[in-house]
Amino acid sequence: MLQNRMRALESLNRLTRENQNEICAALHADLRKPSQESLLSEVAVTLEEIAVAKKNLQRWLKPKRMGTPLPLWPAKSRIYYEPLGLVLIIGPWNYPFQLLMAPLVGALAAGNRAVLKPSELTPNTSGLIARLIAKYFSPDEVRVVEGGIPETAELLNSKFDHIFFTGSTPVGRIVMRAASQNLTPVTLELGGKSPLIVSEDADLDLAARRIVWGKFYNAGQTCVAPDYLYVQESVEEALLERVKRETEAQFGVDPQRSLSLARIVNERHLQRLAKMIPADKIFCGGRVDASDLYVAPTVLRGVSWDDPVMQEEIFGPILPVLTYRDLDEVLGVIRSKPKPLAAYLFSNSKRVQQKFVNQISFGGGCINDVLVHLGSPHLPFGGVGESGMGRYHGRASFETFSHAKSVMYRYGFLDLAVRYAPYSDKSLQFMKRLFRI
Ligand code: NAD
C-alpha cells in the first residue's frame, strides 16, 4: 500500500523534474509567464509538496492512537486513514500546472485514483499535462480530460468520491450544486477580494518592494494577490512614491518590454480589466495594448467602494488605493465584506498585528509580506466563507483526500451488568455517577 503510493509520488516527481523546461515553455506560450515565476510557483511548489509527502507518508499512514474516555474502558481507539476512491480535480488557468499537481500529490499520497480537468484557457499547458500524465501514469491511476464547460459539466454528472475544485466563486457554486446530486464531498478553492493594509509604522521601502512584486506577479492573476490597498492617510504620499519607483525598478520605464511581466490570459479578461481603469484615477501605469494582451502595472488613487474596480475580484495588474485614519474603521469595512482568501498587513507594531490577526477572518495571509504563505507545506491553505471550503498542502492534503475511519477495540472483561436492560433505579444512579451528570 505504502509502496504503491510512494511509486506514484515518484512518477509525479519524475514527470515534473524531467519536463520542467517543457512546462515553462507551455506556461510561456499560454501566459508569457517569466521562467523564474514558472519555476518557483509552478514547478518548485509541486516538487516541495511531493518531497514533503514522500518524507512523511509512512508516518501519516500509521493508525493514529487516540484516547478513550473512562466510562468506555477497557478499550483502545484508533483512526485509520483510507483512500476515498476516485477523485476529480478541476483546475483554473492562472497557475495551470501547479493547481492541478499540488492537489494530485495529496490524492496520490492518500491512495486515490484521479481524473484531472485542466483549464481550456491555457491550451498549451493543458495539452502538455494530458501528454505527460498519459506517459507517466496508467489510465486507471490518473487520467486527464481536457475541455471547457460541456466537458466539465459531463464530468460533474458522473459519480466521484471527492471533487477538488480551484476556480472562481460563481463556478464553485455550480460545482457544489452538481456535487450535491451524488452527495459528493467537495473542496472549493475560490477567490475574492483580498485586502492589503499598510500602517504608518510600517517599513515603507520594504512594503513597496514586496507589494509591487506580489501584486504584479503573473500580471496580478494570482488567487492570493493583494486585490486592493488600504494605506494609512499619513503615509499615503510616501508609500505611493515608493511604489512608483519600485515598479520602474522591477519592470523598467516601459514595462511592456520587460521580460519579467506576464500577459493577460485572453482578450475577454483584458477588456474586463480595461473597464476597471478610470483615466482620472491613474497614479501610474494605465496603458492597455490588446494586440499584445498587455495591461501595464497600474496604481489607481482616490478610489472608493463605488468604483467599478471595487465591485469584483480584479485578477489583473491593477492596484486600487484607498486611505484610512483609524485601523478599527478598516477592519470594520473588511468584516462587512465576504471573507477573503488572503489578507496582508505591513506594520511593525505588535498591537496592530494582533488586531489584524484577531479581528478579521480570512483564508490565510502574511504580516510584512504578500503571497509567500502559500509556499509553505506546513501551513494548510484554503479559503473561508465565500473564498472556499477545505484546505490542502502538506499533511492537510493527505487528510483532505483520506477518510478518517474511527475504530474502537473493546475487550470482553469488565462487562458491567448495569449497562444492559432491564434498567433499574440502581443502574441509573450508577450511570449518573459514572458520567458525572
Ligand atoms: P473558473 O471558475 O472560470 O474556471 C475554473 C475551472 O472550471 C476551469 O477548469 C473551467 O473549465 C471550469 N468551468 C468554468 N466554467 C464552468 C461552468 N459553467 N461549469 C463547469 N465548469 C466550469 O476560474 P478561472 O477563471 O480559471 O480562475 C480564476 C479564479 O480562480 C479566480 O476567482 C481566482 O481567485 C480563483 N483561484 C483560486 C485559487 C485558490 O487556490 N483558492 C487559485 C487560483 C485561482
Side-chain angles (χ1 to χ4, degrees):
M1 193 167 71
L2 174 68
Q3 262 175 4
N4 285 347
R5 298 181 191 198
M6 291 297 259
R7 195 190 38 72
L9 289 171
E10 184 44 36
S11 299
L12 192 55
N13 192 31
R14 287 201 298 111
L15 179 158
T16 310
R17 275 188 194 282
E18 290 169 5
N19 300 285
Q20 48 185 283
N21 292 339
E22 286 87 332
I23 295 165
C24 290
L27 291 163
H28 192 266
D30 283 329
L31 291 155
R32 209 140 10 122
K33 213 178 256 222
S35 289
Q36 183 165 327
E37 292 189 5
S38 295
L39 278 176
L40 243 69
S41 56
E42 306 251 17
V43 173
V45 171
T46 304
L47 291 175
E48 177 67 7
E49 282 293 319
I50 297 170
V52 169
K54 283 175 72 180
K55 182 166 169 230
N56 294 291
L57 188 54
Q58 190 164 13
R59 193 164 50 82
W60 292 344
L61 266 177
K62 275 207 181 113
K64 201 167 167 183
R65 289 160 167 265
M66 306 303 286
T68 304
L70 189 66
L72 299 175
W73 280 11
K76 66 177 186 184
S77 302
R78 299 284 183 272
I79 295 175
Y80 294 89
Y81 292 96
E82 63 180 27
L84 296 173
L86 179 63
V87 302
L88 171 63
I89 303 175
I90 304 174
W93 52 262
N94 60 335
Y95 291 86
F97 183 78
Q98 189 251 116
L99 290 172
L100 281 180
M101 297 307 162
L104 180 61
V105 174
L108 295 176
N112 298 283
R113 295 173 299 125
V115 173
L116 308 181
K117 212 303 282 175
S119 171
E120 71 282 19
L121 300 193
T122 38
N124 293 286
T125 313
S126 173
L128 179 66
I129 289 173
R131 282 197 301 284
L132 293 180
I133 289 288
K135 182 173 164 196
Y136 287 80
F137 290 93
S138 81
D140 309 336
E141 218 172 359
V142 187
R143 71 169 63 184
V144 175
V145 174
E146 288 192 270
I149 297 177
E151 290 78 6
T152 317
E154 203 177 317
L155 282 172
L156 289 173
N157 281 331
S158 316
K159 173 87 180 113
F160 287 93
D161 297 294
H162 192 92
I163 298 175
F164 188 105
F165 171 80
T166 306
S168 61
T169 301
V171 180
R173 287 184 215 280
I174 295 174
V175 169
M176 195 165 172
R177 203 174 305 128
S180 74
Q181 294 306 315
N182 291 316
L183 279 184
T184 306
V186 289
T187 301
L188 300 178
E189 299 286 343
L190 311 177
K193 285 184 93 60
S194 298
L196 157 68
I197 301 173
V198 177
S199 164
E200 61 187 2
D201 56 70
D203 177 339
L204 296 183
D205 289 319
L206 185 79
R209 204 176 314 133
R210 292 183 174 176
I211 292 168
V212 166
W213 172 79
K215 177 71 196 189
F216 303 132
Y217 202 85
N218 199 27
Q221 301 163 115
T222 302
C223 55
V224 288
D227 187 275
Y228 59 93
L229 163 64
Y230 255 116
V231 56
Q232 203 157 10
E233 214 173 68
S234 51
V235 292
E236 184 198 9
E237 201 68 45
L239 179 72
L240 289 194
E241 277 314 316
R242 284 168 171 80
V243 166
K244 194 182 209 168
R245 238 184 292 140
E246 262 310 316
T247 307
E248 256 190 53
Q250 294 188 30
F251 301 102
V253 274
D254 180 7
Q256 192 163 4
R257 295 170 59 188
S258 165
L259 298 178
S260 304
L261 188 70
R263 289 299 184 264
I264 306 308
V265 67
N266 60 23
E267 169 97 25
R268 180 172 66 83
H269 278 282
L270 178 125
Q271 295 305 344
R272 184 182 63 78
L273 291 168
K275 290 196 192 103
M276 291 182 179
I277 308 177
D280 58 335
K281 294 197 172 165
I282 296 172
F283 173 72
C284 63
R287 218 175 98 69
V288 175
D289 179 352
S291 67
D292 188 25
L293 292 173
Y294 169 76
V295 174
T298 298
V299 179
L300 302 176
R301 197 175 181 181
V303 172
S304 82
W305 281 95
D306 296 329
D307 284 296
V309 74
M310 297 306 285
Q311 307 310 312
E312 59 176 272
E313 180 182 8
I314 300 170
F315 226 58
I318 305 170
L319 182 66
V321 181
L322 300 95
T323 57
Y324 73 93
R325 280 196 193 151
D326 176 23
L327 183 65
D328 290 319
E329 179 196 315
V330 185
L331 297 180
V333 172
I334 295 171
R335 271 198 304 275
S336 73
K337 310 280 173 199
K339 293 177 181 175
L341 181 61
Y344 305 105
L345 168 74
F346 282 85
S347 166
N348 286 321
S349 152
K350 286 264 172 325
R351 189 187 57 84
V352 171
Q353 293 180 2
Q354 284 318 301
K355 257 192 166 182
F356 171 85
V357 171
N358 295 331
Q359 294 189 11
I360 53 172
S361 179
F362 50 90
C366 307
I367 307 284
N368 291 327
D369 211 334
V370 293
L371 314 191
V372 295
H373 63 296
L374 188 140
S376 167
H378 306 296
L379 291 176
F381 178 79
V384 55
E386 285 190 27
S387 57
M389 61 183 71
R391 51 205 52 77
Y392 73 128
H393 287 181
R395 182 172 174 113
S397 293
F398 171 78
E399 289 184 354
T400 285
F401 287 105
S402 296
H403 167 59
K405 186 165 67 184
S406 298
V407 177
M408 189 182 283
Y409 291 84
R410 293 272 285 143
Y411 303 102
F413 62 96
L414 212 74
D415 190 29
L416 299 178
V418 286
R419 163 182 165 179
Y420 302 105
Y423 308 126
S424 65
D425 271 357
K426 210 170 134 199
S427 66
L428 182 65
Q429 290 314 318
F430 180 85
M431 285 300 179
K432 277 183 156 182
R433 275 203 305 281
L434 188 63
F435 286 94
R436 286 187 259 150
I437 45 178

